[in-house]
């Protein structure tokens, strides 16, 4: 079941992925506004953050290819961007964008967990370096 979800997710068009991010972000902001001052808000964020880290780990460890050949990791840095610039498979670029979309909720939740006294730029920098 989880593998079929990841297959569905990675087969979304760019437009659908952007709409998914907009809807999820709007829902998150509405919930944050509505529940942000409640005592249970922070524990809920912690639980959601760790659940999403499990989702990311499962997505990274599961084979998302539909063929019979096993997927192997590519160890050359920026291999996919070099391949796209050389005119090879343009699908690689879309797949990289979907990876960014996959990490987006973790960034939102991690930024929420950092101290509120820190400047937004500092929180964003820390979260960005954490997920690179």
């Amino acid at each position: 079941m989880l593998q079929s979800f990841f297959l569905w997710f990675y087969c979304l068009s760019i437009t659908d992925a952007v709409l998914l991010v907009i809807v999820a972000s709007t829902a998150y902001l509405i919930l944050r506004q509505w529940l942000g001052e409640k005592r249970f808000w922070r524990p809920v964020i912690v639980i959601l953050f760790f659940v999403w880290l499990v989702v990311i780990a499962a997505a990274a460890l599961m084979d998302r290819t539909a063929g019979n050949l096993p997927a192997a990791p590519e160890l050359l840095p920026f291999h996919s961007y070099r391949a796209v610039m050389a005119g090879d498979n343009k699908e690689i670029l879309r797949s990289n964008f979907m990876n960014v979309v996959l990490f987006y909720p973790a960034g939102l939740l991690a930024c929420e967990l950092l101290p509120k006294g820190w400047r937004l730029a500092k929180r964003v920098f820390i979260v960005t370096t954490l997920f690179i």
Side-chain angles (χ1 to χ4, degrees), residues 30-106:
I30 290 170
L31 276 175
R32 184 174 182 251
Q33 183 70 28
W34 188 46
L35 299 173
E37 299 301 320
K38 306 285 188 222
R39 270 193 349 220
F40 61 86
W41 176 246
R42 192 160 179 90
V44 167
I45 293 296
V46 170
I47 292 168
L48 287 174
F49 179 69
F50 283 113
V51 166
W52 200 256
L53 289 181
V54 169
V55 169
I56 290 171
L61 298 175
M62 291 182 98
D63 181 20
R64 294 184 301 264
T65 60
N68 292 332
L69 296 174
E74 183 57 62
L75 300 177
L76 289 171
F78 305 109
H79 165 75
S80 56
Y81 296 109
R82 287 188 210 145
V84 168
M85 287 182 198
D88 290 346
N89 190 357
K90 301 270 187 212
E91 183 65 18
I92 295 171
L93 198 55
R94 192 190 69 74
S95 179
N96 285 348
F97 175 75
M98 294 308 288
N99 284 334
V100 170
V101 172
L102 181 67
F103 276 81
Y104 177 73

